Amino acid sequence: GDSVTQMEGPVTLSEEAFLTINCTYTATGYPSLFWYVQYPGEGLQLLLKATKADDKGSNKGFEATYRKETTSFHLEKGSVQVSDSAVYFCALRGGAAGNKLTFGGGTRVLVKP
Amino acid sequence: EAGVTQFPSHSVIEKGQTVTLRCDPISGHDNLYWYRRVMGKEIKFLLHFVKESKQDESGMPNNRFLAERTGGTYSTLKVQPAELEDSGVYFCASSPGVRNEKLFFGSGTQLSVL
């Protein structure tokens, strides 16, 4: 079945540091890939998405590129802020599981001033 | 416009008791999903409603879980009797159409079974 693996946290870094969260997936067909973010006390929000190979999703300074050859969708941000502290979830949709979202385990990111 | 709302935000119960979680989707959204995150692990799909009908309930763990969506509006998820392993965060999400890939999530219900 479909699966998503992402690096375990927590990831602690200083403001203005570079952030990378690795995400790899296993799926049949051609799934869409997503990054969701959960800020403290809030629900999951869609951060960015990519629907086909080589697409780059971007939002709020975050970027991720759909790499079919390495089955990866790593999340990056060049200069993080304290407000980026959150839990980040990589997910896919449209593989063997159809319209259901398949999530990774989540990565907690803590940005210190 | 109100987002997806879930009640309660937290629930602490004893093993063997019954708990009912509620989700109010965004008005007009036909699709309603339940997910849960157990013990800080990955978020897993529970079930999917289209209006009042269960489209997919393949993720429901066992028959102690009962989901309903009366009149195709709000949904409830009842756990009876609750077990320790049911502890986790239960998320609800809604979307206007199945092919619309954006799901709107609620903030979740943190369930603790002691």
Side-chain angles (χ1 to χ4, degrees), chain B residues 7-106:
Chain B
F7 308 95
S9 57
H10 293 81
S11 179
V12 180
I13 61 172
E14 292 186 351
K15 175 182 172 182
Q17 290 185 321
T18 297
V19 62
T20 300
L21 314 181
R22 173 170 169 148
C23 169
D24 286 70
I26 293 173
S27 178
H29 281 194
D30 286 343
N31 294 278
L32 188 149
Y33 303 81
W34 283 98
Y35 288 82
R36 74 171 179 176
R37 188 182 189 209
V38 173
M39 293 293 290
K41 296 184 178 178
E42 65 271 19
I43 300 170
K44 289 195 172 181
F45 168 83
L46 294 178
L47 84 159
H48 169 208
F49 284 99
V50 177
K51 297 184 180 179
E52 68 276 7
S53 299
K54 293 176 184 175
Q55 182 77 12
D56 182 349
E57 52 184 331
S58 61
M60 295 288 265
N62 51 61
N63 59 10
R64 295 186 293 103
F65 289 75
L66 176 63
E68 295 180 323
R69 191 180 183 194
T70 306
T73 56
Y74 70 92
S75 175
T76 58
L77 179 65
K78 180 161 62 174
V79 185
Q80 179 182 29
E83 299 290 343
L84 300 178
E85 62 266 25
D86 301 332
S87 297
V89 182
Y90 290 76
F91 292 102
C92 176
S94 71
S95 72
V98 174
R99 295 195 180 278
N100 181 329
E101 293 182 302
K102 185 170 184 177
L103 268 61
F104 296 83
F105 280 83

Side-chain angles (χ1 to χ4, degrees), chain A:
Chain A
D2 300 340
S3 67
V4 176
T5 303
Q6 62 182 105
M7 58 190 294
E8 292 189 19
V11 174
T12 303
L13 56 168
S14 299
E15 210 165 19
E16 299 184 1
F18 184 86
L19 170 68
T20 298
I21 303 176
N22 289 339
C23 170
T24 57
Y25 68 91
T26 301
T28 57
Y30 302 94
S32 295
L33 302 175
F34 305 84
W35 277 100
Y36 280 83
V37 59
Q38 184 181 20
Y39 299 105
E42 299 183 15
L44 289 164
Q45 301 175 24
L46 179 63
L47 180 60
L48 54 84
K49 70 176 185 180
T51 57
K52 61 183 186 297
D54 300 324
D55 268 3
K56 177 186 285 187
S58 61
N59 185 26
K60 298 182 180 180
F62 290 89
E63 292 184 340
T65 301
Y66 190 140
R67 301 286 188 198
K68 196 172 188 330
E69 65 276 14
T70 55
T71 61
S72 65
F73 193 54
H74 305 322
L75 182 68
E76 297 181 338
K77 185 173 185 180
S79 177
V80 294
Q81 305 300 313
V82 173
S83 57
D84 293 323
S85 297
V87 182
Y88 293 81
F89 295 90
C90 186
L92 68 83
R93 190 179 187 191
N99 283 310
K100 298 190 286 285
L101 279 167
T102 299
F103 287 91
T107 301
R108 180 175 296 279
V109 173
L110 177 60
V111 181
K112 295 185 174 181

